[in-house]
Amino acid sequence: MATDKTRAVGVDIGGTGIKAAIVDLQKGTLLSDRVKVATPLGAEPKDVLGAVLEVLEKLGVDDDAIPLGVAFPAIVKSGRTLSAANVSKAWIGFEAEKFFEDGLGRDIHFANDADVAGVAEMRYGAARDADGLIILTTLGTGIGSAMIYNGVLIPNSELGHLQRAKHGKDAEAFAAYSAMEREALSWEQWTERLQWYYSYVEFLFTPDLFIVGGGVSKHGDKFLPLLRLNTPIVAAVHRNNAGIIGAAALALATDEPRVARSATPLESVPGNLPG
Ligand code: BGC
């Protein structure tokens, strides 16, 4: 049973890379180097588990003395993954938290990757003390989202899957950072896509603040000033480490964030994403 409550390990599983570090829970800063391995091709459960074991070994935390939080790029409800946009379809309806706990031989806390990044920014970053509706989006392989209203996380918002009517595709296929890389877009060309995306989200939700996370947030100066929105938009203070820090912050069972209670029964949550 993990006892240390001042630090925790955060593992952030993404469509492209799996990143981990030991985190100071008081300050929300990294206490170790950040270790990273590539997400195994196809992202099958057993291969992802193997990669998580590898990052933990690299970190030198292969026992349960330190609490462990794991973030995953899918809808996560009661420990089950309910979608699979950029990972193997085997994750749909999968008892993922139990699978990792059995495979790692220890307790973990398991949540959506963008939601934990939102928690990190709420506790230690750009959304600290901010009231109203804050929408954090991660721009990476896909687009992840965290919605926080007056300090309460509304989990699994999945705003990367808003539909782009013109092309009948998910917004993330058009506007994620991976689209810029895949199509060799210039910053200006990519920003036009972001303009469409953030204007759409702004129209739907009228948020008080947008926060942009993901690896590309370190280049915020290249695209954030070009966006014309009514809502302030800032880079995540913790950049691409927000997922690691948020996963670690959720690792203490006694230290849960205030999460809005969902009235949706598990059975009524769609097993897959539209499109
Ligand atoms: C997934 C989300 C995830 C996001 C970022 C999307 O494709 O559906 O659950 O948060 O990618 O990884």
Side-chain angles (χ1 to χ4, degrees):
M1 189 62 180
T3 49
D4 192 341
K5 293 195 173 4
T6 60
R7 51 197 193 128
V9 178
V11 176
D12 184 9
I13 300 172
T16 310
I18 298 178
K19 307 169 280 289
I22 302 172
V23 175
D24 179 321
L25 296 178
Q26 254 93 51
K27 298 185 189 141
T29 51
L30 303 196
L31 288 169
S32 71
D33 284 344
R34 189 172 97 133
V35 300
K36 186 173 175 182
V37 301
T39 303
L41 209 64
E44 293 296 336
K46 67 169 182 7
D47 298 335
V48 173
L49 172 63
V52 171
L53 281 162
E54 191 184 332
V55 291
L56 293 178
E57 195 183 316
K58 280 191 181 177
L59 266 185
V61 286
D62 39 17
D63 60 20
D64 68 353
I66 310 181
L68 171 63
V70 177
F72 194 83
I75 299 170
V76 175
K77 189 96 175 163
S78 308
R80 283 173 72 194
T81 39
L82 299 182
S83 64
N86 297 303
V87 290
S88 157
K89 300 294 174 216
W91 294 95
I92 298 172
F94 188 64
E95 292 287 355
E97 181 164 16
K98 184 171 184 313
F99 173 76
F100 281 113
E101 287 187 337
D102 291 348
L104 301 174
R106 53 163 304 158
D107 287 344
I108 66 165
H109 188 97
F110 190 67
N112 172 266
D113 59 349
D115 280 345
V116 303
V119 167
E121 291 294 314
M122 174 166 70
R123 289 199 184 165
Y124 313 108
R128 203 171 176 164
D129 303 324
D131 279 333
L133 180 63
I134 294 144
I135 298 183
L136 172 137
T137 52
T138 58
L139 302 175
T141 313
I143 296 180
S145 61
M147 292 181 75
I148 296 161
Y149 184 65
N150 286 346
V152 178
L153 172 74
I154 304 156
N156 293 312
S157 50
E158 293 291 335
L159 301 184
H161 297 280
L162 289 172
Q163 296 295 291
R164 181 166 162 77
K166 207 166 162 189
H167 297 115
K169 278 192 187 157
D170 282 1
E172 69 174 20
F174 179 69
Y177 181 55
S178 58
M180 179 182 179
E181 291 186 310
R182 195 172 52 242
E183 298 178 44
L185 303 176
S186 66
W187 289 104
E188 289 73 20
Q189 288 169 321
W190 185 51
T191 304
E192 278 175 32
R193 297 186 179 198
L194 294 179
Q195 181 69 53
W196 163 77
Y197 179 67
Y198 286 108
S199 300
Y200 186 17
V201 176
E202 178 175 67
F203 173 74
L204 291 176
F205 298 102
T206 318
D208 295 285
L209 176 66
F210 279 125
I211 303 175
V212 178
V216 73
S217 58
K218 64 174 178 283
H219 300 300
D221 57 322
K222 299 255 187 358
F223 61 98
L224 294 178
L226 306 180
L227 292 169
R228 296 286 163 258
L229 299 161
N230 297 319
T231 312
I233 184 163
V234 298
V237 167
H238 297 287
R239 306 289 195 261
N240 209 19
N241 288 339
I244 295 175
I245 295 169
L250 287 185
L252 294 180
T254 51
D255 193 20
E256 294 277 328
R258 287 175 295 145
V259 173
R261 185 172 292 280
S262 165
T264 314
L266 192 55
E267 291 70 32
S268 70
V269 174
N272 203 351
L273 300 165

